[in-house]
Amino acid sequence: MKRLGKFKLIAIASLSAVVLVASIAVAQSVKTGRENGQRPGREWRGKGAKHGFHGGKGLLNRLNLSDDQKAKMKTIRENFATNNKPLMEQLHAKRQELRQASEGGTFNEALATQKMTEMAGLQAKLMGERFKLDQEVQTVLTAEQKAQLEQLKAQSKTHRGGRRGVGGPRDDQ
């Protein structure tokens, strides 16, 4: 009877080892999009950047802006990018540090918590800067364009079903 118990133990251990090796092999064979130094999701971000203030089929481009308004919008965008570049770089560095907290097969929870806390402050500052950007954009628009923009935002929100993507819906919207 003891022999049968040892046999079961060896069989379970062997099966566990096979499953572990198989999962590692699958994980290594999955394409992460990081080949050639490429970050995952880059294609989506590139397409997503065409919305909003960045051109393409964004909401502002549906407002029939005058050449003067387009020039002012460009200046506002450039100033925003220049003024917030250090903040964006800090956030990028913190995200990389956060990724490093889980590299090597171990997860350093204390380090991850510290980095996320540091990131929260930076993200709050960036949210404030984006709010200022929105306010500056509003000063360039006519009353009719502002109303049209609000209508387009409402339509966009309805089209998305109120979803915000990764973060999901917010209570204040």
Side-chain angles (χ1 to χ4, degrees), residues 108-129:
N108 186 338
E109 187 175 355
L111 179 61
T113 302
Q114 175 191 352
K115 296 304 170 190
M116 287 188 282
T117 302
E118 293 169 2
M119 285 172 59
L122 295 171
Q123 288 171 332
K125 286 181 186 176
L126 187 57
M127 280 175 82
E129 293 301 317

Side-chain angles (χ1 to χ4, degrees), residues 6 8 13 31 48 55 59 73 87 131 135 138-139 148 167:
K6 285 183 179 180
K8 284 183 181 179
K31 292 188 178 188
L59 298 180
M73 294 289 188
L87 184 58
F131 181 76
Q135 296 303 310
Q138 291 288 325
T139 64
Q148 188 179 1

Side-chain angles (χ1 to χ4, degrees), residues 44 127 130 156-173:
W44 181 83
M127 280 175 82
R130 285 186 176 142
S156 177
K157 188 176 179 181
T158 302
H159 179 70
R160 290 188 325 237
R163 294 182 310 247
R164 288 188 63 241
V166 175
R170 287 193 340 207
D171 295 335
D172 65 345
Q173 290 185 338

Side-chain angles (χ1 to χ4, degrees), residues 62-93:
R62 297 186 197 172
L63 299 179
N64 297 322
L65 299 174
S66 68
D67 289 339
D68 182 50
Q69 287 176 312
K70 288 178 185 178
K72 288 179 181 176
M73 294 289 188
K74 182 177 180 182
T75 302
I76 290 171
R77 280 193 314 268
E78 289 171 352
N79 288 340
F80 176 84
T82 302
N83 294 338
N84 292 292
K85 186 175 181 180
L87 184 58
M88 298 285 230
E89 288 172 348
Q90 287 176 335
L91 264 172
H92 179 73

Side-chain angles (χ1 to χ4, degrees), residues 11-21:
I12 290 172
S14 299
L15 184 60
S16 297
V18 168
V19 169
L20 179 63
V21 169

